[in-house]
Amino acid sequence: MKGNFGVLGTLSLRFFVLCLAIGYMLQLASCSNPAMSQAGSVNTPAFSLASGTYSAAQSVAIADATSGTTIYYTTDGSTPTTNSSVYSGPIQLSVDGSTTKISALATKSGMSSSSVASEVFVLNFTWITLPESGTAAGSGNGQFDGPTAIAIDSTNGYIYVADYFNDRIIRMTDMNGTGWTTYGSSGSGTAQFNHPTAIAVDSSGNIYVCDYDNNRIVKMTSISGTGWTTFGASGSGTNQFDGPAGIAVDSSGHLYISDYFNDRVVEINDMSGAGWTTYGTAGSGTGQFSGPAGIAVDSSGQIYVSDHLNDRIVRMSDMAGSGWTTYGSSGGGTNELSGPEGILLDSGYLYISDEYNGRIVRVTDMSGSGWATFGTLTGTVNEFSSPNGIAIEHSAGRLYVADFGNNRVARFVW
């Protein structure tokens, strides 16, 4: 037993010495490799702002709870690496309509890199104007001189504006003025306008313009003026206008024109004038208008007219005047209008630009149900001076207004 104990004792001693040697070697290794001297990973970066849709410009800061880290980030949707931009201060987001995905990675020597954190930010400004500030008239890029009408090409996303005193049509892709393109000059010939006052775009992208003081309708197939065609002359007879002030296109391609000084509405099948039909005479009774301005047609073929000087909206079932219904009276209160101009139908709502009250009116039917207004008179935020044409970007619920007296286009979410 004594001999056996000696052998076991010797083995135990050798094992103990071996363990000491291994421990010493691991200690040496940790000194030469700092990564082994610190445990764990860097904390995941945190954003000062959560993902969401914001109605104004935003500043996004990134921080990490682990001290001494370097943060790398991307804003193009890609995964950040140590070759990405190094974060040094808040990231500014200011482009309306933009969607930005910010991703961040934090690293620190001696520790494992963090997980990637991401947030997505959508900017959809509640109120925005072009020009952004000021109300002075101009003829340069991003400037207007009495914008009277606006239309949205839902297929391509283009915004078209009739620039009344500059005698031109403008096309842009957003409210920053991106893709600013103009067409037209003053006159009565080809590629010329004399106070364009209304504009419509059909499902094929054709552009129709009421050339007010040339008493004609212009059709173009693009903003470059291709396919230039005109219809109409001065007068009160067939194929004649006296101040065409509003235009709409129905699903069949028929054109409806409000003939302001002739106090009537005109329908034609196409730009040849085929199917010429008129309805209305001067006055304030049934079947009468006093300065018809904006015009719209719904999916059922009902015709809506802004009866400007009668301070009312007229609805007819057809060009025979069937179903004649009026809404509104003179004034600035509920169910009252003062010089209604633009008119728009969308998703069960009827929108009216109430020019001299400096506001946009919204109702759900011709009885005035759901009455709501937006805007007051003058020229700052949420204010208008003679709002004229209106259009809507249906998918985003954004309303566009040609703010005539403020020489700008305004857009807001309602």
Side-chain angles (χ1 to χ4, degrees):
M1 290 294 294
K2 181 178 180 181
N4 290 338
F5 178 79
V7 172
L8 291 173
T10 301
L11 290 173
S12 297
L13 178 62
R14 288 178 179 177
F15 180 76
F16 177 74
V17 172
L18 178 60
C19 288
L20 287 176
I22 291 172
Y24 180 73
M25 291 173 66
L26 289 172
Q27 185 177 7
L28 287 176
S30 68
C31 291
S32 62
N33 184 1
M36 297 183 62
S37 65
Q38 302 181 46
S41 300
V42 174
N43 285 289
T44 302
F47 291 82
S48 62
L49 206 60
S51 293
T53 299
Y54 294 88
S55 60
Q58 299 295 319
S59 179
V60 183
I62 310 173
D64 198 274
T66 305
S67 63
T69 60
T70 299
I71 297 174
Y72 300 90
Y73 74 96
T74 60
T75 58
D76 60 0
S78 63
T79 302
T81 68
T82 53
N83 293 320
S84 301
S85 299
V86 176
Y87 176 79
S88 59
I91 301 164
Q92 305 303 319
L93 304 177
S94 60
V95 179
D96 174 60
S98 64
T99 298
T100 305
K101 180 180 181 180
I102 303 178
S103 299
L105 169 75
T107 67
K108 181 177 181 179
S109 179
M111 299 182 71
S112 298
S113 298
S114 73
S115 299
V116 173
S118 298
E119 300 286 355
V120 179
F121 306 97
V122 178
L123 297 188
N124 185 5
F125 293 170
T126 301
W127 170 269
I128 184 172
T129 64
L130 181 71
E132 185 176 354
S133 60
T135 59
S139 59
N141 285 356
Q143 295 181 319
F144 304 98
D145 190 357
T148 52
I150 190 164
I152 305 293
D153 181 351
S154 58
T155 301
N156 300 303
Y158 293 132
I159 304 165
Y160 291 91
V161 182
D163 195 7
Y164 188 82
F165 291 114
N166 281 325
D167 293 316
R168 65 185 183 181
I169 302 302
I170 293 162
R171 187 189 74 185
M172 55 190 184
T173 57
D174 57 38
M175 285 293 288
N176 300 304
T178 305
W180 179 275
T181 306
T182 67
Y183 184 78
S185 60
S186 299
S188 58
T190 301
Q192 294 181 324
F193 299 101
N194 189 0
H195 300 148
T197 193
I199 190 166
V201 181
D202 68 17
S203 58
S204 298
N206 296 307
I207 306 160
Y208 299 86
V209 180
C210 285
D211 193 4
Y212 187 76
D213 282 321
N214 280 326
N215 293 304
R216 66 185 183 182
I217 305 303
V218 172
K219 176 186 176 182
M220 307 181 292
T221 57
S222 73
I223 194 63
S224 64
T226 54
W228 175 276
T229 308
T230 65
F231 171 76
S234 299
S236 59
T238 301
N239 299 341
Q240 295 180 328
F241 301 102
D242 190 0
I247 189 165
V249 188
D250 70 11
S251 58
S252 299
H254 291 192
L255 302 177
Y256 297 81
I257 301 120
S258 50
D259 193 5
Y260 191 89
F261 291 108
N262 283 325
D263 296 309
R264 65 185 182 183
V265 172
V266 174
E267 179 190 2
I268 53 177
N269 296 346
D270 53 41
M271 287 294 288
S272 72
W276 173 275
T277 306
T278 68
Y279 183 79
T281 58
S284 58
T286 300
Q288 295 182 321
F289 301 100
S290 183
I295 190 166
V297 183
D298 68 17
S299 58
S300 300
Q302 296 187 109
I303 305 158
Y304 295 75
V305 182
S306 293
D307 195 4
H308 188 75
L309 299 178
N310 280 325
D311 296 323
R312 66 185 183 183
I313 303 302
V314 172
R315 186 184 68 193
M316 310 181 295
S317 302
D318 53 40
M319 284 295 290
S322 302
W324 176 276
T325 307
T326 65
Y327 168 72
S329 59
S330 300
T334 301
N335 297 327
E336 294 180 333
L337 304 169
S338 182
E341 271 283 346
I343 190 167
L344 170 71
L345 302 163
D346 184 77
S347 300
Y349 289 112
L350 171 63
Y351 296 89
I352 306 156
S353 58
D354 190 9
E355 182 173 16
Y356 304 125
N357 283 322
R359 65 188 181 183
I360 306 301
V361 171
R362 185 182 70 189
V363 294
T364 56
D365 57 36
M366 288 290 288
S367 70
S369 298
W371 168 276
T373 65
F374 179 90
T376 56
L377 281 167
T378 196
T380 58
V381 175
N382 298 342
E383 295 175 335
F384 303 104
S385 177
S386 293
N388 273 225
I390 50 179
I392 196 164
E393 186 181 356
H394 178 77
S395 61
R398 300 189 289 200
L399 202 67
Y400 293 75
V401 180
D403 192 7
F404 181 84
N406 284 322
N407 300 301
R408 67 186 183 183
V409 171
R411 194 201 72 197
F412 61 96
V413 178
W414 194 0

